[in-house]
Amino acid sequence: MLKICAKSEGLFKREYRRQLLTSICITIIPFAHGLGLGWYSVIFAKLQSPIETALDFVITVNEGSWMGGLTSLGGGCGNIVFGILADLVGRKASLYFLAIPYAISWVLIYFAKSVEYLYVGRFLAGISGGGSYVMVPIFIGEIADPKIRGRLTSLFSLNLNSGIFIGYIVTARLPYHFIPVLGVALPAIFFLSQLFFPETPMFLIQRGLDKRAKKSLKFYRNFQSTTKESIEEFEIEFDNLKCAVTASHNINMNVTWRDFCNKRAAIAFANSLVLMMLNIFCGAYAILYYTSNIFIQARANLDPDTNTIIVGLVQVTGVCAATILVDKFGRKPLLMFSCGATCVGLTIFGLYGYLLQNTAVDVSGLSSWLPLVNVCLVMFVVNAGLIPIPFVLLVELMPPKIRAKASAICLVIFNIFGFLLMKVFPVALEDFGLALPMWSFALLDLFGLVYISLFIKETKGMSLNKVDP
């Protein structure tokens, strides 16, 4: 691993440092969104218990499923709203708006008097989360050097999963009303951090603000040289970027449905939809949202909250691996590995659940380690491929003319899939046990392995203005 890092284009090189710092700052909201997801995963079981709930009411499985489902519906609304705002008011201005719904959501959760407060809170959190799925990849994609773009875009998933991990810990170990206070503080920090970096060069060029665009490009390239050769190289880079963006923007001025129906766009759109479907139905989100409940179903010997925290740490490790490897080995090999390994892991987990719940076979000797090891394996490999990389490819596969709008459409469909999963899975888990849901996810992962090997093109190192599907 250290050799891989040494040979790769270092993220800490002088010309990349501001790109890295900016990417870290704008992924605070994904971190905050992850905190909410981790909170929900642990608190869902607690709010069902009259003994453990910190509120004046308890929730049912159906009400809990609505909390998860409404987060995804809010995400779909956020995809639409921020997909429009991205081109209307700019990338940076849109980032400011991400903080508002999220802060309000935690205020509602703090003062919750009934389950309806939780419904509205999770819906608003979904709006910010869905907006971040649109804005963060686009913003990073437009400021990042192609050599490190994959790793910087993977910071989205890294911070999202880090937030989930922290959410697991604080929800399991701290009082209910502490988490909303932390949840409100994060959007405030995010809002303030946006004051220190400019709009993307590509958007400023689209608006004809060449002087600001040049300053922006100098900022993100950390250009400080005064030598004639370096200045000439920078001017050539800026002129090439301006020509590419201007040509693309001139075409983009009149986007119609025909632009979505040509062969290149149709292939990119179809591939992106399949990747969104694989991302949602690979099994990771079901485990992510309902980790504690799954361990209860699996009759794991360890405390469900302790298992959940361990899984959260494994998720972060998996995304770290993807962040390091995505620009070294490319997107396609990591996706294929992730699909294959996830399929094997979920098949084994489904078999364990079948033996546990439908036969007289004694699996008590396995319950002390197999559920935890298996879930950790699955969450590591999906976070090394199936979770972060589809969102990198979503930006890279789309033709520049329809990139913002098509990405927003794909993410709306992604959240519709998410709503269906979050609403149905807890009920299916309760009615059918572990086996059927896990085997269903494994079958889709097998389909994903075949599809990716045949139809997904490698985009490593390609320019955002030249990628063909």
Side-chain angles (χ1 to χ4, degrees):
M1 186 67 73
L2 292 175
K3 289 181 179 180
I4 291 173
C5 294
K7 292 179 181 179
S8 64
E9 294 290 339
L11 285 173
F12 297 99
K13 291 176 67 176
R14 183 182 59 80
E15 58 265 38
Y16 299 151
R17 287 172 192 164
R18 288 180 176 174
Q19 298 172 37
L20 175 62
L21 180 61
T22 301
S23 299
I24 291 171
C25 287
I26 69 171
T27 51
I28 292 174
I29 279 292
F31 177 89
H33 184 54
L35 180 78
L37 296 179
W39 170 84
Y40 172 74
S41 180
V42 176
I43 207 70
F44 178 52
K46 296 182 183 297
L47 293 180
Q48 291 177 268
S49 169
I51 298 174
E52 294 190 74
T53 183
L55 301 175
D56 296 330
F57 57 91
V58 295
I59 65 172
T60 65
V61 172
N62 184 57
E63 288 171 337
S65 71
W66 274 110
M67 286 174 62
L70 285 169
T71 305
S72 292
L73 284 184
C77 294
N79 297 152
I80 296 171
V81 171
F82 285 93
I84 295 170
L85 286 176
D87 290 328
L88 188 64
V89 302
R91 296 3 178 182
K92 185 177 178 181
S94 299
L95 289 175
Y96 283 116
F97 290 112
L98 283 175
I100 299 171
Y102 196 78
I104 296 172
S105 75
W106 281 114
V107 173
L108 289 170
I109 289 170
Y110 185 94
F111 292 105
K113 302 297 183 184
S114 67
V115 72
E116 286 74 22
Y117 282 69
L118 301 179
Y119 287 164
V120 177
R122 294 309 297 155
F123 180 79
L124 290 173
I127 290 176
S128 287
S132 70
Y133 274 82
V134 174
M135 292 308 309
V136 173
I138 289 177
F139 196 99
I140 293 177
E142 291 186 354
I143 68 168
D145 187 287
K147 293 178 181 178
I148 62 168
R149 188 175 62 229
R151 278 169 286 172
L152 289 185
T153 308
S154 293
L155 285 175
F156 179 97
S157 289
L158 177 60
N159 273 10
L160 178 70
N161 282 280
S162 297
I164 292 168
F165 176 53
I166 299 300
Y168 286 160
I169 294 174
V170 296
T171 310
R173 304 295 182 228
L174 297 176
Y176 173 92
H177 290 94
F178 176 87
I179 295 93
V181 175
L182 177 60
V184 171
L186 286 171
I189 296 170
F190 170 81
F191 193 92
L192 292 173
S193 72
Q194 310 311 301
L195 301 174
F196 299 101
F197 55 84
E199 177 62 88
T200 70
M202 292 175 69
F203 181 80
L204 292 171
I205 291 172
Q206 289 175 6
R207 291 295 183 267
L209 303 172
D210 288 2
K211 288 185 179 179
R212 287 180 59 190
K214 187 173 289 188
K215 288 182 180 179
S216 175
L217 186 62
K218 284 183 178 180
F219 175 87
Y220 289 118
R221 296 295 185 266
N222 202 9
F223 180 79
Q224 299 171 355
S225 177
T226 56
T227 64
K228 182 178 179 180
E229 293 79 7
S230 298
I231 293 173
E232 288 178 352
E233 288 179 7
F234 175 81
E235 291 294 337
I236 291 171
E237 180 183 1
F238 180 78
D239 289 341
N240 290 338
L241 177 65
K242 182 179 177 181
C243 289
V245 172
T246 302
S248 174
H249 183 60
N250 289 338
I251 298 174
N252 293 353
M253 292 299 292
N254 297 304
V255 176
T256 66
W257 284 108
R258 287 186 178 181
D259 297 310
F260 290 85
C261 298
N262 63 64
K263 182 178 179 181
R264 179 186 178 190
I267 293 173
F269 198 68
N271 286 339
S272 297
L273 284 179
V274 171
L275 289 172
M276 293 298 98
M277 182 181 69
L278 288 172
N279 182 280
I280 279 289
F281 293 112
C282 67
Y285 282 98
I287 294 173
L288 170 66
Y289 271 74
Y290 302 105
T291 313
S292 293
N293 295 66
I294 287 172
F295 281 120
I296 291 171
Q297 280 278 344
R299 301 176 197 171
N301 288 350
L302 277 177
D303 174 61
D305 289 347
T306 302
N307 282 333
T308 299
I309 292 170
I310 294 171
V311 171
L313 180 60
V314 170
Q315 287 176 236
V316 175
T317 307
V319 178
C320 287
T323 304
I324 294 169
L325 299 175
V326 67
D327 283 323
K328 178 66 178 178
F329 295 111
R331 287 62 160 149
K332 186 172 180 176
L334 287 180
L335 276 175
M336 292 177 63
F337 165 76
S338 186
C339 281
T342 305
C343 177
V344 172
L346 291 177
T347 300
I348 294 172
F349 199 33
L351 178 61
Y352 167 81
Y354 180 81
L355 295 174
L356 177 69
Q357 297 168 338
N358 297 283
T359 71
V361 176
D362 182 14
V363 292
S364 57
L366 300 175
S367 61
S368 61
W369 63 272
L370 186 93
L372 178 60
V373 171
N374 205 274
V375 170
C376 285
L377 168 67
V378 169
M379 295 309 290
F380 178 84
V381 295
V382 295
N383 280 287
L386 276 169
I387 294 298
I389 293 177
F391 296 102
V392 177
L393 288 172
L394 183 61
V395 174
E396 294 179 335
L397 288 174
M398 288 296 178
K401 184 173 183 180
I402 63 168
R403 181 174 295 135
K405 292 181 176 62
S407 296
I409 292 171
C410 285
L411 288 170
V412 169
I413 296 172
F414 166 81
N415 279 287
I416 292 172
F417 287 155
F419 169 74
L420 294 174
L421 177 69
M422 296 307 105
K423 191 71 184 71
V424 171
F425 179 77
V427 179
L429 188 65
E430 186 172 291
D431 291 346
F432 301 109
L434 280 173
L436 184 60
M438 294 301 117
W439 284 341
S440 299
F441 294 140
L443 187 62
L444 191 67
D445 291 325
L446 180 61
F447 163 77
L449 175 62
V450 175
Y451 187 93
I452 290 166
S453 65
L454 295 177
F455 300 112
I456 300 297
K457 184 175 181 180
E458 180 60 66
T459 61
K460 173 186 171 184
M462 292 184 178
S463 167
L464 283 180
N465 292 302
K466 297 180 180 179
V467 174
D468 289 316

